[in-house]
């Protein structure tokens, strides 16, 4: 068992993952650079977002739109985006992006309805399986608290992903990116505890400290130096590949000992394979479904297989946690 050292490190990792920070706005895209778009927004704001017209907009605005922070200027940008898209299509040009994203048809207060729904479904799947895990596995299992903390960090990430795809603001974008990075880094800690830390808790403690420093440095750089999307993607991809090969090596070494090893191997391969869907970047089908939404939708079933592995493994560890029995 990892004992108090692992429990303390888990709390430290959880607290570090909850860092709330902001950064500078995203760079412009082709669509919002167009003079026709900018002139349209300026004219719309000048005409509709002052005086009596602004009061009329606010009185007619549905409560759910006001609660999610939609302003008159935001509505002008939305309307002018579609005006610009229409001009592009009329001239035979490909659909441009606006403010770093494709144009989506707004549904109620949801900017990206399909991605918001997919994030919500992932969060619900994670919550359901966490509850199942806690009901099936006694808390005495060596990995119980580490897995519970991982699940809570994942739930937090899916919450902010849902919020971000519902309403894209500086805060929600940063929380979506930073919380996703926290999950990726904590997954390394989870892997380390399972593969090394149960027998050598000092190793998992050192790795935990390094991951906290890495997360703090990552967030600080993106916040105070430059919010570099390319760097963020490269950093997360690098950590993800380390996680992939680490788990696959463990699966291979334990394939003759643990009958459920294939579940772990399948999960890590599926998660990294499905991430390639992001490379299929295309304008949203029916102005709703883009590659990012397809990726998120495809990961929903993976939660069930992953937690099936975690339950099997945690029960195995509990049963083998006896004097003279070696942990795998």
């Amino acid at each position: 068992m990892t004992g108090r050292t692992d429990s303390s490190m888990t709390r430290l990792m959880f607290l570090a993952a909850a860092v709330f920070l902001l950064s500078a706005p995203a760079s412009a895209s082709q669509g919002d650079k167009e003079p026709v778009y900018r002139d349209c927004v300026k004219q719309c704001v000048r005409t509709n977002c002052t005086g009596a017209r602004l009061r009329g907009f606010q009185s007619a605005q549905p409560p759910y739109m006001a609660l999610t922070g939609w302003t008159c200027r935001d509505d002008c940008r939305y309307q002018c985006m579609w005006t610009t898209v229409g001009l592009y299509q009329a001239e035979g040009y490909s659909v441009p992006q606006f403010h770093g994203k494709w144009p989506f048809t707004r549904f109620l207060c949801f900017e990206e309805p399909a991605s918001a729904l997919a994030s919500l479904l992932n969060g619900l799947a994670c919550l359901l399986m966490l509850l199942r895990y806690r009901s099936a596995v006694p808390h005495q299992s060596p990995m119980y608290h580490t897995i519970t903390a991982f699940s809570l960090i994942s739930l937090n990430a899916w919450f902010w992903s849902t919020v971000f795809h519902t309403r894209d603001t500086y805060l929600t974008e940063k929380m979506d990116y930073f919380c996703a990075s926290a999950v990726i880094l904590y997954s390394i800690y989870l892997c380390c505890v399972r593969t090394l830390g149960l027998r050598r808790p000092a190793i998992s403690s050192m790795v935990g400290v390094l991951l906290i420093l890495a997360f703090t440095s990552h967030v600080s750089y993106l916040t105070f130096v430059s919010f570099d999307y390319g760097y963020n993607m490269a950093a997360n991809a690098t950590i993800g590949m380390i996680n992939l090969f680490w788990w696959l090596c463990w699966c291979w070494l334990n394939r003759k000992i643990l009958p459920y090893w294939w579940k772990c191997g399948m999960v890590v391969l599926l998660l990294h394979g499905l991430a390639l869907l992001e490379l299929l970047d295309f304008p949203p089908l029916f102005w709703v479904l883009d590659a990012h939404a397809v990726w998120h939708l495809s990961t929903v079933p993976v939660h069930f297989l992953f937690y099936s592995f975690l339950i099997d493994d945690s029960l195995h560890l509990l049963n083998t946690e006896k004097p003279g029995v070696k942990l795998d």
Side-chain angles (χ1 to χ4, degrees), residues 30-44 76 79-88 96 98:
Q30 180 181 345
D32 53 274
K33 289 179 181 178
E34 287 291 344
V36 63
Y37 171 81
R38 297 191 174 191
D39 291 343
C40 175
V41 172
K42 289 179 182 178
Q43 181 62 33
C44 178
C76 283
Q79 301 299 335
C80 291
M81 175 184 72
W82 289 114
T83 299
T84 307
V85 168
L87 292 173
Y88 263 72
F98 294 81

Side-chain angles (χ1 to χ4, degrees), residues 2-188:
T2 57
R4 293 185 179 179
T5 302
D6 176 52
S7 179
S8 300
M9 186 55 59
T10 295
R11 288 194 292 270
L12 274 174
M13 293 287 288
F14 184 76
L15 290 172
V19 174
F20 281 14
L21 293 170
L22 300 175
S23 77
S27 58
S29 300
Q30 180 181 345
D32 53 274
K33 289 179 181 178
E34 287 291 344
V36 63
Y37 171 81
R38 297 191 174 191
D39 291 343
C40 175
V41 172
K42 289 179 182 178
Q43 181 62 33
C44 178
V45 170
R46 187 181 303 115
T47 304
N48 301 307
C49 299
T50 56
R53 285 183 176 270
L54 175 59
R55 291 190 292 271
F57 169 84
Q58 293 171 336
S59 63
Q61 187 181 38
Y64 56 82
M65 294 292 284
L67 286 174
T68 50
W70 282 94
T71 65
C72 181
R73 175 180 290 274
D74 293 330
D75 201 63
C76 283
R77 289 171 59 174
Y78 179 76
Q79 301 299 335
C80 291
M81 175 184 72
W82 289 114
T83 299
T84 307
V85 168
L87 292 173
Y88 263 72
Q89 291 183 314
E91 296 294 329
Y93 296 112
S94 59
V95 176
Q97 291 189 344
F98 294 81
H99 304 285
K101 61 202 306 184
W102 294 110
F104 292 91
T105 296
R106 187 174 62 195
F107 175 71
L108 299 178
C109 59
F110 297 92
E111 282 190 69
E112 301 176 46
S115 290
L117 176 62
S119 296
L120 177 62
L121 291 176
N122 274 281
L124 290 176
C126 184
L127 176 61
L128 174 64
M129 295 310 296
L130 170 61
L131 296 176
R132 184 175 298 180
Y133 176 86
R134 290 172 65 89
S135 66
V137 178
H139 69 274
Q140 293 87 356
S141 181
M143 290 293 295
Y144 182 89
H145 298 292
T146 305
I147 290 172
T148 299
F150 174 78
S151 301
L152 293 176
I153 291 173
S154 297
L155 281 171
N156 179 63
W158 286 120
F159 167 78
W160 282 108
S161 178
T162 303
V163 171
F164 169 61
H165 292 303
T166 299
R167 185 72 178 95
D168 181 357
T169 66
Y170 297 155
L171 172 63
T172 60
E173 181 186 38
K174 285 14 168 194
M175 292 307 302
D176 177 46
Y177 277 77
F178 296 161
C179 292
S181 296
V183 173
I184 295 171
L185 287 169
Y186 197 92
S187 66
I188 288 285

